[in-house]
Amino acid sequence: DGGITQSPKYLFRKEGQNVTLSCEQNLNHDAMYWYRQDPGQGLRLIYYSQIVNDFQKGDIAEGYSVSREKKESFPLTVTSAQKNPTAFYLCASSKQYRDYGYTFGSGTRLTVV
Amino acid sequence: AQSVTQLDSQVPVFEEAPVELRCNYSSSVSVYLFWYVQYPNQGLQLLLKYLSGSTLVKGINGFEAEFNKSQTSFHLRKPSVHISDTAEYFCAVSVGQGGKLIFGQGTELSVKP
């Protein structure tokens, strides 16, 4: 079955370390997105990519980086510059059509100690 | 700028009671509207969507929503809730070119026995 796979589900890192979250989709979707979710703050867009080798900053891009070398993959790196990295991270993908909506991965919970 | 407002951050309700989760949007152009559900520590799943046609949209798990253009609302309803409906619910609107979604802040539905 097609879908989005995020790995790992839980991730622990020491403060000051960079960490990369994986997101892979086999839906042949054009666009991919990364969101951060904190209690009571809904979904906040970090980065999105509408086509391979191109991506745009979202509302809270500082301290994060992404790449889109393949259509299927959109990894997110949480750098040491991100002041409060502990959060639940969600990856999503969609076709480039307004009526399509998003398909979400199951999320990665990052805890920095 | 387009925005989505979910009017209640938390909605407690007893099992088998009806429930309405409210969503208002602001947009000067035609929109496509979505409701998603998120269970704890999981990604978001699509409940239903309004694209065009009938203003009453039926979704999964017995949920339905009504699009009201004059009031710019898209409220979600269920006539009789179950304990298993306890989750967070997100309203979203698709605007502009491509498929980018704008999400509301979420409503936490808590169903009590």
Side-chain angles (χ1 to χ4, degrees), chain A residues 31-34 45-61 64-68 74 96, chain B residues 100:
Chain A
M32 297 186 75
Y33 310 82
W34 273 106
L45 182 64
I46 305 172
Y47 269 98
Y48 65 102
S49 167
Q50 295 182 312
I51 194 169
V52 175
N53 292 322
D54 188 43
F55 48 83
Q56 287 79 41
K57 292 182 179 180
D59 303 317
I60 56 165
Y64 299 96
S65 66
V66 294
S67 63
R68 186 87 188 275
F74 191 41
Q96 287 286 57
Chain B
K100 190 176 171 189

Side-chain angles (χ1 to χ4, degrees), chain A residues 9 37 98-99 102 105 109, chain B residues 30 36 38 41 94 96 98 101:
Chain A
K9 190 166 179 65
Q37 189 174 25
R98 290 182 58 202
D99 62 346
Y102 289 179
R109 185 165 297 282
Chain B
S30 61
Y36 286 84
Q38 183 183 32
N41 293 312
S94 176
L101 294 183

Side-chain angles (χ1 to χ4, degrees), chain A residues 74-105:
Chain A
F74 191 41
L76 173 74
T77 296
V78 184
T79 75
S80 56
Q82 169 50 234
K83 294 187 182 349
N84 296 299
T86 293
F88 189 53
Y89 291 87
L90 285 164
C91 179
S93 70
S94 75
K95 286 194 174 291
Q96 287 286 57
Y97 307 117
R98 290 182 58 202
D99 62 346
Y100 202 81
Y102 289 179
T103 300
F104 281 86

Side-chain angles (χ1 to χ4, degrees), chain B residues 55-107:
Chain B
T55 58
L56 184 63
V57 181
K58 293 191 184 297
I60 62 172
N61 301 341
F63 283 93
E64 62 183 31
E66 185 157 19
F67 171 60
N68 188 318
K69 187 174 181 179
S70 62
Q71 297 187 5
T72 60
S73 68
F74 190 54
H75 301 334
L76 181 71
R77 301 186 182 103
K78 187 169 182 178
S80 176
V81 294
H82 303 290
I83 298 286
S84 59
D85 291 323
T86 294
E88 189 151 21
Y89 293 79
F90 291 91
C91 181
V93 59
S94 176
V95 296
Q97 295 300 316
K100 190 176 171 189
L101 294 183
I102 307 295
F103 286 90
Q105 291 296 94
T107 297

Side-chain angles (χ1 to χ4, degrees), chain B residues 1-75:
Chain B
Q2 290 82 10
S3 67
V4 178
T5 303
Q6 292 183 241
L7 297 161
D8 306 292
S9 59
Q10 294 180 319
V11 173
V13 64
F14 286 106
E15 193 174 18
E16 297 183 7
V19 70
E20 178 179 81
L21 306 184
R22 298 180 294 167
C23 173
N24 285 94
Y25 67 92
S26 65
S27 176
S28 58
V29 298
S30 61
V31 296
Y32 295 157
L33 295 154
F34 304 80
W35 274 99
Y36 286 84
V37 60
Q38 183 183 32
Y39 299 102
N41 293 312
Q42 294 186 26
L44 278 68
Q45 302 172 29
L46 180 65
L47 268 180
L48 49 81
K49 60 183 177 182
Y50 172 77
L51 306 180
S52 64
S54 173
T55 58
L56 184 63
V57 181
K58 293 191 184 297
I60 62 172
N61 301 341
F63 283 93
E64 62 183 31
E66 185 157 19
F67 171 60
N68 188 318
K69 187 174 181 179
S70 62
Q71 297 187 5
T72 60
S73 68
F74 190 54
H75 301 334

